[in-house]
């Protein structure tokens, strides 16, 4: 009963880790940060924010990768399913609600209580999906820090990327170190206990994404993890849960080439196949082009399933059209609705 | 930012009125009735039930109109948004959750408390929709009885259809009379107070559908009510709320020609333009054809946006393809997953 194109499942949620100064939101409008998952979900579902107050954008006006994913959806017509794994405040987009609270700050002992219920609920959904192939993406501000925390707890050395041009790597390391202390563990202590690692150092989106992937794989649905270093954390969770099959991770050149991370090496270490697509935003033109050009300067980089959407576009030979559509979206969205910059904040969790 | 085809908004929910013996569910598996909205939403979102236990079907195996709407979606690629206006038990389909409980039995004093909040929440969503045109459909077992109740409270004489070949009109009239008594009102007492009429005699789906329509119309989005006599009740609510613009209602010949109702006359009385499409199920062939042939014998008739989906298909000249796709779905769904008949029950709210 599946359509010819894969389904994109976007897992959206929040972690209070994002409130740490400099990790994610700082400056004039930190409150807007919390609306990013809701806004991303609405852009994917409706092409623009419906109830969320603004189009997520960086201080320089680089817009959320949701515009690229939505552009690809318009061109390719793939189906999308948004999972609410802790969106707060809520969204006007249709979601499969996992009835889970936003994750706590990882400097708490147990930032993700009930992680097993989230994973099992997600596994049920994944095993019920009718598709031959699904892509799984995420939107969660602060998500690269919780990804780093989870990787550390599992003893995986992978470094993580950032949506900021200058990755606040030192700060993230400190936060993760404090988180390990608060949970009374050392790096690697939770190897082989991936849900324990998420419970102590992760966020609910990681649990939901891993569960959906696990359920889908168990029932013969191919899974592509659509994202950057956060999706490597999901891959690590799956590997530590004993999942051994193929696990491609589709991201952008901006994530893969981020020298503060080591996407390609980490992919090899986790036995996942990297699919890297260049969005080609360096030389685009049009009203919305200026915003997207920020990607070429190291902003945003990916997220909201953008890497996967671009991989589908490249596979279908329609990358130019998708790029054009994304430029079009940016021009209209940043024109007809004020994009309030979140000073110093992430564009989206994807490259946080 | 809208796509060329309209968006279909499916409002799904429940009313305890459906539990009345003979109205909706009776016999072997009344419990399955409550899963119908969840199953319909899942069929629309995924092409098959994912967590709901069965494909809704009549005793003779006539399947839910969701298979037709989904077939049209596959062929035409229109966007769909499911609104949860009281689905209980929950669904694995993505929904915009209005956070409303299932409606009570209309023989209670106030079966739909909080009707104004539901309407306003729906109006917000409707006014935020980016589309040039939306179709609004419903799935709520027992929905024609609550539609009749609402029409009576408003003083509108329209009769209502049924998904059963023999419309239990006498029973519905008795239930409505008891409901009016319980609410301490007579027919027509709530003319000009449409939310009061829903509160006393309707269901939350009527409030949500009317609110979405009102919000959409206020912001220049064209609205087509996709359904039969329940959508006439929505039209009546809108007219009594002072909405004066065009309000097409798209249904099937099976509803429009139902002699126990008077769809065409009621449409004229409410100044709504009927769009009537013949699904053409009388002479189809294929593995799933037998089930759909039941429509030609007066079962199911419509619902789950089927009338609107068929109107779009007819407009695009792809009715044959949609019919073929629906037959295909039926063959696979009723084959690979046991369709447990709900003895004496409605196929869906649409023609309840």
């Amino acid at each position: 009963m599946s359509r010819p194109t894969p389904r994109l499942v976007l897992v959206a949620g929040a972690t209070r880790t994002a409130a740490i100064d400099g990790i994610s939101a700082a400056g004039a409008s930190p409150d807007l940060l919390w609306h990013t998952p809701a806004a991303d979900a609405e852009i994917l579902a409706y092409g623009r924010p419906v109830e969320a107050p603004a189009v997520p954008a960086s201080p320089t006006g680089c817009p959320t990768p949701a515009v690229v994913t939505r552009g690809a959806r318009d061109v390719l017509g793939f189906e999308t399913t948004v999972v609410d794994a802790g969106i707060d405040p809520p969204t006007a987009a249709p979601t499969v609600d996992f009835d889970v609270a936003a994750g706590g700050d990882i400097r708490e002992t147990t930032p993700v209580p009930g992680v097993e219920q989230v994973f099992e609920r997600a596994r049920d959904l994944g095993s019920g999906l009718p598709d031959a192939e699904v892509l799984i993406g995420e939107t969660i501000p602060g998500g690269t820090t919780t990804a780093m925390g989870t990787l550390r707890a599992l003893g995986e050395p992978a470094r993580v990327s950032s949506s900021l041009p200058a990755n606040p790597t030192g700060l993230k390391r400190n936060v993760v170190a404090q988180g390990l202390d608060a949970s009374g563990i050392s790096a690697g202590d939770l190897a082989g206990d991936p849900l324990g690692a998420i419970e102590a150092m992760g966020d609910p989106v990681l649990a939901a994404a891993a569960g959906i992937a696990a359920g889908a794989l168990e029932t013969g649905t191919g899974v592509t993890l659509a994202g950057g270093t956060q999706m490597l954390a999901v891959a690590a969770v799956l590997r530590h849960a004993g999942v051994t099959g193929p696990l491609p991770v589709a991201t952008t050149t901006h994530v893969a080439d981020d020298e503060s991370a080591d996407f390609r090496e980490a992919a090899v270490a986790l036995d996942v196949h990297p699919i890297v697509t260049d969005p080609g935003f360096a030389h685009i033109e049009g009203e919305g082009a200026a915003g997207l050009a920020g990607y070429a300067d190291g902003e945003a980089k990916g997220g909201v399933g953008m890497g996967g959407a671009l991989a589908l576009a490249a596979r279908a030979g329609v990358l130019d059209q998708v790029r054009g559509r994304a430029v079009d979206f940016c021009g209209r969205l940043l024109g007809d609705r004020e994009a309030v910059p979140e000073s110093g904040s992430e564009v989206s969790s994807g490259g946080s």
Side-chain angles (χ1 to χ4, degrees), chain A:
Chain A
M1 308 313 276
S2 61
R3 301 180 69 187
T5 51
R7 177 185 306 270
L8 175 70
V9 179
L10 177 68
V11 187
T15 165
R16 298 295 157 205
T17 311
I20 299 171
D21 208 34
I23 284 277
S24 245
S29 304
D31 282 355
L32 277 176
L33 178 80
W34 304 107
H35 292 281
T36 293
D40 283 342
E42 291 176 8
I43 290 169
L44 192 60
Y46 303 112
R48 71 177 195 206
V50 166
E51 292 180 3
V55 176
S58 78
T60 64
C62 183
T64 167
V67 299
V68 180
T69 305
R70 172 72 199 198
R73 181 192 173 177
D74 278 357
V75 173
L76 291 163
F78 53 78
E79 305 220 34
T80 57
T81 302
V82 179
V83 168
D84 181 347
I87 302 177
D88 179 24
T91 180
T95 62
V96 182
D97 189 357
F98 280 7
D99 200 20
V100 52
D105 187 324
I106 58 168
R107 296 170 305 177
E108 299 163 14
T109 310
T110 309
V112 192
V115 65
E116 284 178 28
Q117 289 93 305
V118 177
F119 183 85
E120 289 307 325
R121 176 74 190 76
R123 189 181 202 157
D124 280 349
L125 179 66
S127 67
L129 293 174
D131 313 282
E133 188 183 354
V134 296
L135 283 73
I136 302 173
E138 52 64 42
T139 171
I140 171 171
T144 56
T145 302
T146 45
M148 183 193 267
T150 303
L151 288 162
R152 284 300 162 278
L154 292 171
E156 295 292 344
R159 289 178 294 156
V160 296
S161 190
S162 170
S163 68
L164 296 164
N167 192 348
T169 304
L171 173 61
K172 288 181 185 175
R173 278 205 197 107
N174 281 341
V175 168
V176 168
Q178 291 173 52
L180 291 168
D181 276 356
S183 299
I185 56 172
S186 300
D189 276 2
L190 296 174
D193 179 10
L195 296 188
I198 294 174
E199 184 182 40
M201 297 295 294
D203 63 60
V205 167
L206 292 171
I212 294 165
L217 289 167
E218 281 161 15
T219 49
T221 293
V223 170
T224 296
L225 300 173
T229 43
Q230 281 160 271
M231 283 299 148
L232 286 183
V234 173
V237 165
L238 290 166
R239 292 305 187 211
H240 281 257
V243 172
T244 53
L247 215 48
V249 179
T251 192
T252 63
T253 44
H254 305 304
V255 170
D257 298 343
D258 179 1
E259 292 181 3
S260 72
D262 48 11
F263 182 85
R264 291 171 203 273
E265 286 166 55
V268 170
L270 291 166
D271 189 24
V272 303
H273 173 64
I275 301 170
V276 179
T277 310
D278 182 353
F281 290 149
H283 307 291
I284 49 172
E285 290 177 1
E287 203 190 337
L292 290 171
Y295 282 77
D297 298 328
E299 290 197 79
K301 296 188 185 72
V304 199
M306 173 184 172
L310 289 170
L312 293 181
R315 195 161 97 180
V318 295
L319 206 47
D320 279 1
Q321 280 170 262
V322 169
R323 207 156 40 217
R325 188 89 187 137
V327 168
D328 203 38
F329 268 113
C330 289
R332 293 199 221 179
L333 285 178
L334 302 179
D336 72 23
R337 183 147 187 159
E338 192 179 57
V340 185
E342 299 156 23
S343 176
S345 80
E346 304 172 304
V347 166
S348 94
S349 61
S352 67

